Amino acid sequence: QHDVHIIGGGLAGCEAAWQLANRGIKVKISEMRGGGKMTAAHQSDGLAELVCSNSFRSDDDENNAVGLLHHEMRLLNSIIMTCADEAKVPAGSALAVDREIFSDLVEKAMNNHDNIHVVRECVETLPNNGITIISTGPLTDDGLAHQIIEKTGSENLAFFDAIAPIVHFDSVNMDIAWFQSRWDKGDGKDYINCPMDEEEYLIFHQGLMDGEKTTFKQWEENTPYFEGCMPIEVMASRGLDTLRFGPMKPVGLTNPATGKRAHAVVQLRQDNKQGSLWNMVGFQTKLKHGAQVELFRKIPGLENAEFARLGGLHRNSFIRSPILLDRHLRLKSAPHIRFAGQITGCEGYVESSAIGLICGIFTAADILGADIIPPNNMTSLGALLCHITGDAEADSYQPMNVNFGLFTPLTEKVHKKQRKLAMTSRAKEQFDIWRQNLAI
Ligand code: FAD
């Protein structure tokens, strides 16, 4: 007998189970690995397996949004952070782990908890009733994925294979770039435009051709590109001017500095409500991260660009959370179902675990009859949660790491060098207030 059924024993599912079980709630975790199924990226049957790198990224809670998220999760007794700290290996200011020790520790914690029951089985259908958390990750098994599509509408589960980089607005040089929509549509200034003359374009095109690309994993080889999100370097390889008739077309745009049309234009589209993050339109790419930074900083206006996320390509299933989920991660059309982890459209081990954690707390609150106001977006957990559950633009919604661009901007004037510290100090105060009011 269980009170909550968690589908998927990855990072988010285990963290949600832990938060529920510690509040006296009985949980069943269904994990398909070890039950005759495997994903294309996992290597073992272990719960909470890290599929790629062994890094939880920066552990600096004063200058880094993900380090701050570590801090907030530790305060909430996160099992993922406890096991990561125990399995830690030297990695400078980053938190990296021995992946086998880490997964073993999480698995032991789940198996040894009286309120958690792990069953090795693949869930093929969405439950019609009973409190359920879906935390099946970016490689959700096909049967369940199709059920999710049926429930949410096919356009709302992206089988996503390419992502474009995202730039912090305050790193764009607006003396060179300008606001304008093509043909002045909409309110006339929905995009940021970065102009290129012919010479700059030719050098940039060559850079795309020459830049080092990541190689396909064997399981990715058969994944077709969707025409709509073809990597920019693949498009560039089709002809010198293909990009100038595609994402870099200069028509309908006038550079205010010259009063003329540029030879080519790179457009950035607003990516969050605050306007602090901007997406490079059509710039999904398989260039290696280092090559992306080097090449994209050659774009006029982006010489000092700071990237909230770089481009990449891999299979990734996620729902359009900003329109499908309420602020407590419940599916609006079937509130007995919650989503957690990467399938909600957050990106990364830490973020997936954090969303599992808060999902566990929300679910426990429902069962125990407690009222919970989500943490506000001056905190790291709150900023990530708000992004997923409503602040992000639903139409261009793409997986996102936590970063300061998601936070409420500082109201007081702070010197640039002190801004991150001011953000994290404010976050810590706000998080403590939220935690003190947490009734469960
Ligand atoms: P997962 O950890 O994937 O857990 C989901 C679980 O659900 C899995 O154990 C799966 O077996 C199970 N499952 C799926 N379908 C079913 C079903 N129908 N029934 C029962 N069980 C099911 N993030 C980083 O921070 N660093 C990286 O280096 C990194 N590399 C990545 C590489 C790849 C190839 C991919 C796909 C993602 C990568 N990520 C990385 C992103 C992401 O953070 C991880 O995928 C993370 O594990 C997501 O956590 P999760 O709990 O949401 O999903």
Side-chain angles (χ1 to χ4, degrees):
Q1 263 320 73
H2 57 266
D3 306 306
V4 180
H5 184 192
I6 297 182
I7 308 176
L11 294 159
C14 292
E15 186 64 69
W18 186 251
Q19 296 296 327
L20 284 155
N22 283 345
R23 290 172 170 84
I25 294 162
K26 293 225 175 287
V27 179
K28 170 182 159 184
I29 300 178
S30 296
E31 169 53 54
M32 69 176 187
R33 288 176 296 113
K37 282 255 183 163
M38 194 38 106
T39 77
H42 288 81
Q43 306 286 324
S44 76
D45 292 344
L47 298 180
E49 180 187 329
L50 304 179
V51 282
C52 191
S53 94
N54 67 333
S55 175
F56 282 61
R57 316 205 307 281
S58 172
D59 204 25
D60 174 356
D61 64 5
E62 294 193 331
N63 297 292
N64 192 290
V66 79
L68 180 65
L69 191 55
H70 291 174
H71 167 81
E72 294 175 359
M73 290 170 72
R74 286 185 179 114
L75 290 176
L76 293 172
N77 185 28
S78 155
I79 189 64
I80 294 299
M81 290 310 299
T82 303
C83 296
D85 288 335
E86 218 175 315
K88 184 176 172 157
V89 296
S93 61
L95 173 60
V97 303
D98 175 314
R99 67 180 70 239
E100 278 179 28
I101 295 177
F102 169 75
S103 169
D104 283 351
L105 286 168
V106 177
E107 177 131 6
K108 264 194 204 116
M110 297 298 119
N111 288 335
N112 291 343
H113 203 299
D114 286 345
N115 289 338
I116 300 177
H117 179 45
V118 180
V119 180
R120 301 296 183 150
E121 62 181 2
C122 180
V123 177
E124 304 275 354
T125 52
L126 273 177
N128 286 326
N129 47 44
I131 302 171
T132 306
I133 295 175
I134 297 175
S135 50
T136 43
L139 304 166
T140 295
D141 197 57
D142 286 352
L144 188 66
H146 284 115
Q147 286 259 313
I148 296 171
I149 288 172
E150 257 170 47
K151 190 99 192 163
T152 60
S154 58
E155 74 283 11
N156 290 329
L157 183 79
F159 285 95
F160 187 71
D161 69 345
I163 53 177
I166 290 182
V167 179
H168 284 281
F169 175 72
D170 56 13
S171 70
V172 178
N173 181 353
M174 292 304 291
D175 291 337
I176 294 178
W178 76 97
F179 284 109
Q180 188 185 8
S181 336
R182 205 180 296 286
W183 307 118
D184 297 316
K185 282 191 179 150
D187 76 358
K189 46 186 171 65
D190 288 349
Y191 288 80
I192 291 175
N193 301 282
C194 302
M196 278 188 194
D197 62 24
E198 189 172 359
E199 196 188 343
E200 286 160 341
Y201 176 77
L202 291 176
I203 293 170
F204 182 74
H205 186 273
Q206 197 57 47
L208 280 175
M209 306 308 297
D210 295 345
E212 205 181 343
K213 325 282 187 307
T214 45
T215 47
F216 277 107
K217 288 207 175 107
Q218 196 215 333
W219 56 270
E220 287 176 317
E221 266 163 20
N222 299 327
T223 309
Y225 297 130
F226 292 119
E227 207 52 30
C229 53
M230 176 175 298
I232 185 128
E233 61 277 6
V234 175
M235 211 182 286
S237 70
R238 293 183 168 182
L240 191 56
D241 277 330
T242 308
L243 293 175
R244 291 186 60 243
F245 290 97
M248 293 179 70
K249 62 176 176 278
V251 293
L253 298 166
T254 308
N255 183 351
T258 60
K260 288 190 188 142
R261 178 192 288 182
H263 186 71
V265 168
V266 176
Q267 284 204 303
L268 311 183
R269 183 183 48 224
Q270 188 168 335
D271 202 74
N272 65 344
K273 290 210 163 93
Q274 292 99 304
S276 52
L277 299 174
W278 290 73
N279 197 305
M280 295 179 71
V281 181
F283 268 61
Q284 51 277 357
T285 176
K286 259 222 127 170
L287 284 177
K288 285 201 165 164
H289 283 180
Q292 287 183 43
V293 174
E294 195 185 323
L295 185 63
F296 296 159
R297 282 191 182 149
K298 289 191 178 137
I299 297 170
L302 300 187
E303 320 73 70
N304 298 312
E306 293 293 336
F307 296 91
R309 185 191 70 198
L310 285 159
L313 259 152
H314 61 71
R315 183 182 158 214
N316 193 352
S317 313
F318 64 95
I319 59 169
R320 268 216 272 168
S321 299
I323 51 170
L324 291 171
L325 303 185
D326 70 12
R327 292 285 186 183
H328 286 230
L329 295 163
R330 282 176 293 232
L331 189 61
K332 287 178 190 164
S333 61
H336 65 288
I337 296 176
R338 279 187 161 85
F339 281 82
Q342 179 122 349
I343 196 165
T344 64
C346 61
E347 170 79 32
Y349 302 145
V350 184
E351 289 84 345
S352 299
S353 309
I355 294 302
L357 188 157
I358 193 70
C359 185
I361 292 181
F362 284 152
T363 310
D366 275 358
I367 294 170
L368 300 172
D371 254 350
I372 292 202
I373 300 167
N376 68 39
N377 55 8
M378 286 183 256
T379 68
S380 200
L381 182 55
L384 181 64
L385 182 70
C386 288
H387 179 74
I388 292 167
T389 57
D391 284 3
E393 293 295 336
D395 288 344
S396 58
Y397 188 56
Q398 295 189 347
M400 175 65 85
N401 285 126
V402 72
N403 63 78
F404 288 124
L406 303 178
F407 288 52
T408 311
L410 294 168
T411 42
E412 71 278 17
K413 269 213 170 308
V414 180
H415 190 274
K416 207 171 175 188
K417 280 194 180 151
Q418 295 299 317
R419 250 178 244 164
K420 288 178 179 164
L421 189 58
M423 282 272 196
T424 56
S425 304
R426 182 185 66 171
K428 285 174 184 168
E429 273 169 33
Q430 290 289 321
F431 197 76
D432 282 346
I433 296 170
W434 178 77
R435 217 160 47 91
Q436 277 155 21
N437 290 324
L438 193 60
I440 54 165

